[in-house]
């Protein structure tokens, strides 16, 4: 149903903007007399709906306003009354307390000055400018718990904690200690491992090992050294070991094997042991070192049937002024790359692997065997669960200078044939073995880096300056 329009009523007090009710005659907040407010003017359109001009409303009578008194009777300026000096009443009609009264919260006349007196010139009146200035810095609140509670040091300026003797501090949070597994006890952050990337260079040999791009740790290890034979001629040694990932603690196995083999050679060669026999004894010593890492048979078998004994492969090269001795167990390799690249390179080792057995038995050709998913299954390794230790040793007498490359399958997977390896070896490898080792590791990483990569480069013949133990 239709409704007639109603006259517009005041919704807010003209004095203080307080909301009003329709029947209010006085403002409930400031006491303003609403009856003195003029009624809303009626709408008088300029043009009537029928096209005729309406009669204009009569003009309001003029008002004679009294003139403000400018001076007193004595000629002095009239007194100025401040708003705070004028008594007033609240909404209930009670007299407001005088500002000078002790109970008034603003006894100080200066405290009741209008806000306009504090406002800078040109600023709008709707903004407060009497807000106290804010401090430039906010000090941190003290920790809860009372004044006796120890206040922690500001981590931005406090001294870093000093770890106990023999302990390492986390590189991430700089607060927790690193446990034996390489993780922070405070934040759990994995710490960088020293073996993720290793390099070593002697005068006549250099080696580089890298974790690769897919493995979470480096399970390869190497050892390089040089010594002198009884006649004073130099002998340079490079040992490379690859941990078997499916075994327990393969990184420990490869490191133990490399160190044991190197120490055995350095002990045997100076006393006149034939280099080939010394290489055989070094592999046996490496095998014993890896066997020593295995736990009791009951722990490895009955209580933890899924745990295998630590295991690794090994390959080594020994270079003298006239001989090149190679020894290995597993699928790590040694390549021969002549300085004169018009001569043919060669692979000097045969893998202890499923693929090599298939080729040797005539059941597959090399391309078919290494394309099979079982190709890299090894048939020989160092470890307590190895079937039988059969070290391979070979002696060569190269008739020209060249470079010996000793590497794990992390490299030769990307340069399998001797020709491919020769193409990857820099032309100045004999003069810059460390640079060449870095280039070869980079070749594997550029190829995908699916495995740990370790390579040692030895120039042949061994230079005379390579003599002396290291």
């Amino acid at each position: 149903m239709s409704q007639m329009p109603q006259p517009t009523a005041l919704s807010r007090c003209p004095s203080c903007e307080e909301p009003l009710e329709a029947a209010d005659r006085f403002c409930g907040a400031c006491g303003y007399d609403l009856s003195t407010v003029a009624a809303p003017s009626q709408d008088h359109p300029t043009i009537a709906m029928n096209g005729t001009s309406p009669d204009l409303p009569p003009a309001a009578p003029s008002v004679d306003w009294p003139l403000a008194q400018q001076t007193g009777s004595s000629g002095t300026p009239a007194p100025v009354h401040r708003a705070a000096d004028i008594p007033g009443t609240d909404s209930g009609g009670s007299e407001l307390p005088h500002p000078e009264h002790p109970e008034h919260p603003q006894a100080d006349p200066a405290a009741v000055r209008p806000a306009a007196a504090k406002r800078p010139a040109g600023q709008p009146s709707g903004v407060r400018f009497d807000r106290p200035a804010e401090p430039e810095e906010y000090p941190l609140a003290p920790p809860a718990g009372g004044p006796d509670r120890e206040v922690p040091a500001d981590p931005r300026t406090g001294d870093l904690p000093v770890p106990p003797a023999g302990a390492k501090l986390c590189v991430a949070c700089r607060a927790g200690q690193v446990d034996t597994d390489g993780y922070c006890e405070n934040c759990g952050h994995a710490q960088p491992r020293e073996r993720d990337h290793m390099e070593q260079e002697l005068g006549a040999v250099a080696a580089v090992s890298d974790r690769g791009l897919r493995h979470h740790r480096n399970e390869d290890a190497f050892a390089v050294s040089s010594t002198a034979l009884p006649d004073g001629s130099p002998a340079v040694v490079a040992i490379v070991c690859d941990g078997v990932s499916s075994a327990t603690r393969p990184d420990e196995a490869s490191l133990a094997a490399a160190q044991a083999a190197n120490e055995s050679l350095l002990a045997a060669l100076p006393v006149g042991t034939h280099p080939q026999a010394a290489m055989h004894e070094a592999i046996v010593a490496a095998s014993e070192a890896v066997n020593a890492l295995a736990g009791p048979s009951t722990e490895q078998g009955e209580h933890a049937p899924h745990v295998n004994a630590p295991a690794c492969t090994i390959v080594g090269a020994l270079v003298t002024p006239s001989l090149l001795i190679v020894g290995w167990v597993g699928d790590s390799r040694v390549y021969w790359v002549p300085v004169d690249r018009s001569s043919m390179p060669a692979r000097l080792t045969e893998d202890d692997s499923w693929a090599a057995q298939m080729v040797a038995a005539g059941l597959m050709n090399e391309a078919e065997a290494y394309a099979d998913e079982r190709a890299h299954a090894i048939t020989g390794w160092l470890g307590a669960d190895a079937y039988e230790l059969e070290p391979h040793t070979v002696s060569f007498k190269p008739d020209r200078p060249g470079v010996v490359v000793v590497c794990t399958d992390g490299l030769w997977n990307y340069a399998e044939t001797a020709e491919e390896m020769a193409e990857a070896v820099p032309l100045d490898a004999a003069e810059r073995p460390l640079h060449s080792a870095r280039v070869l590791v980079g070749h594997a990483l550029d190829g995908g880096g699916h495995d740990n990569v370790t390579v040692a480069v030895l120039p042949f013949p061994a230079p005379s300056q390579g003599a002396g133990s290291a």
Side-chain angles (χ1 to χ4, degrees):
M1 95 184 198
S2 302
Q3 291 183 348
M4 296 297 291
Q6 299 295 324
T8 304
L10 293 177
S11 61
R12 291 183 178 274
C13 175
S15 175
C16 65
E17 296 294 329
E18 183 73 13
L20 301 174
E21 298 291 338
D24 287 345
R25 292 188 299 168
F26 295 91
C27 176
C30 66
Y32 191 86
D33 186 359
L34 301 177
S35 62
T36 62
V37 180
S41 60
Q42 299 297 323
D43 186 15
H44 295 284
T46 304
I47 303 297
M49 296 301 293
N50 59 6
T52 61
S53 297
D55 296 333
L56 295 177
S62 61
V63 179
D64 294 332
W65 294 102
L67 298 177
Q69 185 177 5
Q70 299 297 327
T71 58
S73 58
S74 61
T76 60
V80 177
H81 295 279
R82 295 173 295 183
D85 297 335
I86 302 175
T89 59
D90 59 17
S91 59
S94 301
E95 184 178 355
L96 295 174
H98 194 274
E100 299 296 336
H101 195 278
E103 297 179 358
H104 196 280
Q106 293 179 332
D108 183 8
V112 295
R113 287 178 296 177
K118 297 182 180 181
R119 184 173 66 249
Q123 297 290 350
S125 60
V127 181
R128 284 192 57 163
F129 293 93
D130 55 348
R131 181 181 301 170
E134 297 183 1
E136 296 183 359
E137 295 184 0
Y138 291 89
L140 296 176
D148 297 336
R149 181 173 178 177
E150 182 181 356
V151 179
D154 188 342
R156 300 168 297 179
T157 59
D159 295 334
L160 295 176
V162 179
K168 293 182 179 180
L169 198 64
C170 175
V171 300
C173 68
R174 304 298 298 170
Q177 297 182 26
V178 180
D179 59 20
T180 56
D181 294 331
Y183 292 87
C184 176
E185 296 177 347
N186 179 49
C187 67
H189 192 278
Q191 306 300 297
R193 297 179 174 89
E194 297 178 358
R195 292 175 61 176
D196 282 355
H197 185 87
M198 301 177 292
E199 296 185 359
Q200 186 176 357
E201 180 183 26
L202 301 178
V205 61
V208 176
S209 181
D210 191 90
R211 184 185 66 181
L213 304 180
R214 302 296 181 88
H215 280 226
H216 69 285
R217 64 178 176 182
N218 189 0
E219 297 171 354
D220 290 355
F222 68 82
V224 294
S225 61
S226 61
T227 187
L229 301 177
D231 61 358
S233 59
V236 182
V237 174
I239 303 293
V240 170
C241 297
D242 184 357
V244 177
S245 297
S246 59
T248 305
R249 298 168 10 236
D251 53 333
E252 296 182 25
S254 61
L255 181 60
Q259 293 176 343
N262 185 64
E263 293 173 358
S264 177
L265 286 168
L266 291 179
L269 293 173
V271 298
T273 305
H274 189 278
Q276 190 168 354
M279 180 63 73
H280 184 279
E281 294 175 2
I283 295 176
V284 173
S287 176
E288 294 174 352
V290 177
N291 292 347
L293 297 176
S297 58
T298 55
E299 295 182 4
Q300 297 294 331
E302 297 178 8
H303 299 292
H306 62 285
V307 176
N308 298 321
C312 68
T313 66
I314 186 171
V315 64
L318 169 62
V319 172
T320 72
S322 59
L323 289 176
L324 168 57
I325 309 299
V326 176
W328 75 96
V329 172
D331 62 348
S332 293
R333 294 180 177 180
V334 176
Y335 290 85
W336 164 256
V337 179
V339 172
D340 181 6
R341 296 302 174 89
S342 62
S343 301
M344 294 296 295
R347 174 157 64 95
L348 306 182
T349 58
E350 292 292 339
D351 299 341
D352 289 324
S353 67
W354 180 91
Q357 285 190 346
M358 294 297 101
V359 174
L363 300 177
M364 292 183 177
N365 60 39
E366 190 168 352
E368 294 173 341
Y370 283 98
D372 193 283
E373 62 181 6
R374 298 165 290 181
H376 290 278
I378 57 176
T379 59
W381 63 90
L382 305 183
D385 57 354
Y387 299 117
E388 185 178 358
L389 180 62
E390 296 182 359
H392 311 287
T393 58
V394 182
S395 179
F396 300 93
K397 287 187 177 181
D399 58 356
R400 65 201 66 190
V403 173
V404 180
V405 178
V406 185
C407 64
T408 62
D409 60 345
L411 171 60
W412 66 254
N413 279 333
Y414 303 99
E416 187 169 344
T417 67
E419 291 75 15
E420 292 173 339
M421 184 63 70
E423 291 179 2
V425 175
L427 297 176
D428 59 350
E431 290 78 25
R432 303 172 65 190
L434 178 58
H435 169 75
S436 301
R438 290 171 175 168
V439 169
L440 292 173
V441 169
H443 177 79
L445 298 180
D446 292 341
H450 287 71
D451 200 355
N452 306 145
V453 188
T454 303
V455 57
V457 177
L458 303 87
F460 178 88
S464 59
Q465 62 265 27
S469 63

